Amino acid sequence: MKTHFLRSFLRGIVKRPLIYSINFVGLILSMSVVIILAVCCLGEIKANRFNENINNIYMICSEGFDKKLGTYTPAILKEHIEEKIPEVEKIVRIRDPWTETTLQVGQNPSVTSSLIFADPDFADVFSYQNISGNLKEALKTPMSIVLTKNESLKLFGNTSPIGETVKVDNEHILTVKAIIDEPRGKSSLQFKAVVPMISIGTVSPNGDELTTWRMSNFTSFVLLNRASVPDNIGKKIARLYPENNFSPKISLQPFSSFYFSDIDISRRNFLKTGNKSTTTILGFVAVIILLMGIVNYLNLSFSMTIERLKSTGILKVIGAKRGHIIRNIIKESALFFFVSIVIAYITAWFLIPFLVNKTGVEIHPGIIFNPVFLLLSVLLTLVIAVVSVIVPAIRLSSIKPVDSLKKSLSGTGGNNHTRRVLVIAQFTVAIALISFTWAIQKQVKYGFTQLGYNKENIYTIQLTPQLKKDVLKEQLVKVAGIKDISYTTYLPGKATIERCFGMTIMYKGQKKENISAHIIRCDSNFPGLLGLKIIKGRSFSPDLVTDKDKVIINKAFADEYGLDEPLGVKVPASRSDDMEIIGLVENFHFQSVHQPISPVIIRYNDYARYCYVKIASSDFNSLHRTVKGINEVTMALSSGFPVNSEFLDTSVAKMYKAEVQFRKIFFLFSGVAILICCLGILGLSVFASERRVKEIGIRKVNGARVSEILTMLNRDFVKWVVIAFVIATPIAWYAMHKWLENFAYKTGLSWWIFVLAGVIALGIALLTVSWQSWKAAVKNPVESLRYE
């Protein structure tokens, strides 16, 4: 009898292969998705936790004129902190070169890389493992460079690079002194190479930024001793600023919570944050999918209760105790769940690379086989296995042997009621997920289309030191199919957008102080090429020399600072005469719709980082020929630097990278949840058809048509979908409303989203059950009546 549960389990599979297959597939699918989403969410939650000092690392943040916390500190602050605040054990400054960097080894082609400058204490504050060389010693050595493992493989292959040289931006020769491993988890610090801070004046000079309080170009991290109070240290740091200098409100923000913070990281390409709402939603989806898998198992288990009555009765007749029967059922369930979790682990392991490739979401698969994660997964699975069958096990074991042998179970209506509730719950979830998926799609589409400027057929080129504006334009005008050319410092999807703080302007005899705005530098063609709508005044004119350093503002600037008549107002410039406002344009989304449209100054200026090329034709072949011609020109002019070029709509998509990734992964896992729901109702339809085989035969003998039989068998499922629709609509509306609160500009929640979700759910249900219903309806009545 000790192996009875195992024999019973195997006999059940042989006798009911379809039902057991549905159960297995449903559980494996749900568990695989839960494992993947758990790994994804844990990776987000544990971001930066690989740093051993994480609980004592803080970022020095300052409050800007817009009341937002930023990571801007002057370089000179470091020496004052080291001298006057002993509670700070270490301080590290980090800065990037503002733009992407190119690295070249020998005569090999240059590769684009992300580089940061850091102080030697970077090695003590953050936990990066040395593969070869010594990180801290390397950061003390002038004109050296430290590479990550993957970047080293890209540049040098499998050979040791220590002592070899790398050319940075086709100009500076640096010696490789150390190789470090990639972080052991998700990190807010994004870089592929580190250069000593001591070399910043040579590799990326920026005036007297190292010795002045006026330039806050660095992000500073401090390592505090355990006894210090961060709030007190922040106040001490604020008092270090000279009185004649703007003294910002300083605070220390824990690096442990930075990943999910709303700290402003604009112009900080080496910093990365996550979205807590998205992570929460994905975690919620994981729980829902797991519950749907369990619901399927419970539904089919309840349906198979009658089938087990006879075997339970026989066990009781031959002397089995009630506890023995309960243990057998629990063992069978535990075995079922254990096999499912093993297969689910293997499935998740193989699926993660596919998901990373298809969705772009960063997932660290190493978490799957973390001993703690593995142990908790198995224990949780076994607990669920026991809890999910304990009630039916107790119920079955309490039936009298006579009733069991007659397959008689009193109160079966309770089981039917439970099944109805569980199926309605599944359809409720399915309708809510379908609605949410449509809402995400609608919001992403809104962000792509409601920009306020034209992005079609515009090809962008990132300038390099070899791509000189005049020479490039001279060559581009020779390419057939080009309609217009413009130069600017702005490209959507790039974190680096210039910003000016603390300006003062005179308006109608009154001072307006503490004015801040984003700055877009461009040539005279830029507003027209993008199709910006002029509300007042005019655009720039290439024929007017006096338009140099004139500006156009957006409506948000005028509204924010009360400029009813902005034309002619002078805006201060840091290194030139005041700039006159000559035009007012309608607002446009130069940042993601997550953020409100803030004041913008569009400045006619010679400085540029990008070239915009407007292509005349939208025909694919014409576009292809023109783009090919443009690329040939840029490659010929910039042989020493890789040229990054793409269509403007691709750049715009980068502004919504997080939303697009979320849409992909949510759509994918919502589809899995709906598939699990389909498997559940398929299993139930099999049981429903089999239990009514005799009734169907009698009805057919009495003249019932196939359509009437189908209607009879499908009626309950339609009723359940309608009830689920009524329940799901307010739940889905509330969830979507809360998610859309993350966006300053959002699409509306149209009624058709919910109706469409209900229709889709109904269609899925009918398609799923109609196949089984059709088989039962067309069956020969003689066979049906002989069935029992």
Side-chain angles (χ1 to χ4, degrees), residues 133-154:
N134 185 283
L135 174 61
K136 186 166 186 176
E137 292 303 316
L139 294 181
K140 293 178 180 178
T141 308
M143 301 306 287
S144 64
I145 188 171
V146 178
L147 301 175
T148 62
K149 178 182 177 181
N150 289 339
E151 196 70 354
S152 174
L153 290 172
K154 184 190 298 183

Side-chain angles (χ1 to χ4, degrees), residues 299 302 305-306 395 409 411-420:
N299 269 337
F302 285 147
T305 299
I306 301 297
R395 186 82 181 279
L409 182 61
T412 53
N415 280 340
N416 291 332
H417 177 70
T418 302
R419 288 200 300 274
R420 283 197 295 269

Side-chain angles (χ1 to χ4, degrees), residues 438-451 455 593 656 659-660 663 747:
W438 276 105
I440 295 170
Q441 172 65 22
K442 199 165 181 277
Q443 177 62 24
V444 171
K445 184 178 179 181
Y446 175 88
F448 273 108
T449 56
Q450 305 298 318
L451 294 170
K455 59 180 175 59
V593 292
Y656 302 101
E659 284 74 33
V660 172
R663 179 189 64 183
T747 185

